[in-house]
Amino acid sequence: MIAGANVVTIIVMLMLGFADHINPVSHPSISGLGMFFPFAALANLFFLFLWLTIKWRMAWIPFVGFLLAYPPMRTYMPFNLPSSPPKDAIKIISYNIAGYASAADSADGFKLITEYIRDQKPDIFCTQEDNDTKPRTDEFYESTFPYNDTYKINESDKVINRVGIHTRYPILRTERISYSSVSNGSIAWYLKVGNDTLIIINNHLEATHLTKDDRDQYRQIVHGDMESDTARAEYKRLLAKLADASTKRAPAADSIHRYIQAHSNYPIVVCGDFNDHPLSYTRRVIAKNMTDCFVSTGNGIGRSFNRYGMYFRIDHLICSKTIQPFQCKIDSKITASDHYPVVCWLKIGRNP
């Protein structure tokens, strides 16, 4: 009976781990189940310890389960040996700055962010929700970076949403990747980096639109602070809400992937707030035939959204195979936004 329960757990773990191969448009409720993969992995870990305690020879069952689930485990929570970036590597930071107005402890978000940029000295700083239209913003960036551009991506004036790039490399041109969205978008900037033209695709994809109450309910479900019947009903409601957002992100991810394929003769970096977890259709499609910088050089879960008990990496940084990433990390030291920035060093290679 224990062996049977363990096998069922492994089957569920594999189904959740590879759910990112299912298009949310076709199966919205199934595709988003990857976010629950860690719970199945923990259950299999429990069986491993159980077998080691009562009948160690049977420990091969959960061990084989972990071997089969290695790809999603590495994507969700990678571990890599540290490596120092070479001197000619460029430093890039992608940061959803939440309009400079989401700082913890009632601190000045704009001040915290500008101090952080001065301290980090990135070569390329990509922003999402760069919505501050005050003169102080332009003054700071123009005094810090020689080249700056901010693009309004929403179609309605009711909601302001901008993505930006601030860099020490000349901006050659700007293109918007075409897909339907009211207040989200993806912008490709072409930068002159030495003798190369580097494309930076900065994204803000469809949010989950979970309210504070929704997130509180989720936290109660995870912590077991809710009656089983209520928890089941809330789980279904939240899953339906998440599935709806996934169906809107999927076409955007497909469009971004097509753009990458059409411009594969350039070195490309894709970054931003995907609003989706590591085992999502969105991340997998955009990272197809690319290198996920955090997976290849980062460590741990890499939680990038820091509110309401949501322990996910929803901010990503992905690059062409010709670019070698180093020391990609989620910098949790700064609390000026409801997101943490993604920091990475990149060495641009030559396209074949």
Side-chain angles (χ1 to χ4, degrees):
M1 289 178 62
I2 297 175
N6 195 173
V7 170
V8 170
T9 297
I10 291 171
I11 293 172
V12 171
M13 179 175 67
L14 294 175
M15 291 175 62
L16 298 178
F18 292 97
D20 57 355
H21 287 71
I22 299 174
N23 192 320
V25 175
S26 302
H27 304 282
S29 297
I30 299 176
S31 64
L33 293 177
M35 65 186 295
F36 300 104
F37 171 79
F39 300 107
L42 287 173
N44 192 51
L45 183 63
F46 165 78
F47 278 107
L48 177 61
F49 286 123
L50 181 64
W51 286 126
L52 291 174
T53 302
I54 64 173
K55 197 173 184 179
W56 67 268
R57 287 185 178 87
M58 299 296 288
W60 68 269
I61 298 176
F63 182 75
V64 169
F66 281 130
L67 287 179
L68 295 174
Y70 176 76
M73 287 183 65
R74 174 159 176 77
T75 298
Y76 192 90
M77 189 172 63
F79 288 97
N80 298 281
L81 295 175
S83 59
S84 300
K87 292 183 179 179
D88 58 346
I90 63 176
K91 185 177 184 180
I92 181 170
I93 297 178
S94 175
Y95 193 11
N96 182 326
I97 54 182
Y100 306 94
S102 186
D105 304 323
S106 300
D108 185 339
F110 181 81
K111 180 180 179 181
L112 290 175
I113 291 170
T114 54
E115 289 176 350
Y116 177 76
I117 296 170
R118 289 193 179 102
D119 179 64
Q120 292 291 314
K121 299 180 176 63
D123 299 303
I124 301 172
F125 184 61
C126 293
T127 58
Q128 303 88 44
E129 296 187 23
D130 194 346
N131 303 334
D132 192 346
T133 58
K134 300 175 184 177
R136 63 177 186 175
T137 308
D138 292 338
E139 291 172 2
F140 167 75
Y141 284 120
E142 289 173 3
S143 66
T144 307
F145 297 95
Y147 306 98
N148 302 275
D149 189 26
T150 304
Y151 196 107
K152 180 183 176 183
I153 58 175
N154 57 298
E155 299 175 2
S156 170
D157 290 332
K158 294 181 179 179
V159 180
I160 299 176
N161 195 2
R162 294 182 174 91
V163 295
I165 189 168
H166 311 282
T167 175
R168 67 183 183 89
Y169 302 111
I171 300 173
L172 301 178
R173 62 191 175 99
T174 305
E175 287 184 355
R176 180 165 187 168
I177 299 176
S178 178
Y179 57 82
S180 178
S181 180
V182 175
S183 58
N184 304 279
S186 303
I187 308 301
W189 279 282
Y190 289 66
L191 307 183
K192 186 68 174 176
V193 181
N195 295 322
D196 294 302
T197 298
L198 173 67
I199 299 178
I200 303 289
I201 302 176
N202 191 2
N203 306 270
H204 188 282
L205 303 184
E206 188 74 26
T208 57
H209 303 295
L210 295 181
T211 65
K212 184 179 183 302
D213 288 340
D214 291 334
R215 300 179 196 276
D216 289 339
Q217 297 290 338
Y218 168 80
R219 184 168 57 241
Q220 290 181 45
I221 293 172
V222 171
H223 293 164
D225 298 332
M226 188 180 291
E227 294 292 334
S228 59
D229 291 343
T230 305
R232 192 178 299 111
E234 282 299 317
Y235 164 77
K236 290 181 179 179
R237 185 182 66 82
L238 291 175
L239 190 61
K241 210 167 186 178
L242 293 171
D244 180 64
S246 294
T247 60
K248 296 176 181 178
R249 284 191 295 268
D254 293 335
S255 296
I256 296 165
H257 174 64
R258 286 192 294 269
Y259 190 92
I260 293 170
Q261 285 185 308
H263 298 81
S264 59
N265 55 316
Y266 292 95
I268 299 174
V269 175
V270 186
C271 65
D273 179 4
F274 289 14
N275 271 309
D276 226 335
H277 55 89
L279 299 180
S280 64
Y281 178 89
T282 301
R283 191 216 64 91
R284 184 188 66 81
V285 167
I286 295 176
K288 190 175 182 180
N289 299 323
M290 303 276 280
T291 298
D292 187 313
C293 299
F294 187 85
V295 173
S296 61
T297 68
N299 287 286
I301 294 175
R303 178 193 184 197
S304 68
F305 186 77
N306 57 45
R307 298 287 197 273
Y308 312 114
M310 307 293 284
Y311 293 92
F312 301 112
R313 185 171 74 254
I314 64 174
D315 300 87
H316 304 274
L317 204 155
I318 295 163
C319 65
S320 299
K321 295 291 187 182
T322 55
I323 299 175
Q324 185 176 2
F326 295 87
Q327 296 182 0
C328 186
K329 65 178 182 179
I330 308 299
D331 194 346
S332 59
K333 295 179 181 178
I334 177 170
T335 58
S337 167
D338 54 0
H339 291 247
Y340 293 131
V342 186
V343 183
C344 193
W345 283 260
L346 304 173
K347 179 176 172 56
I348 302 175
R350 296 289 181 181
N351 279 351

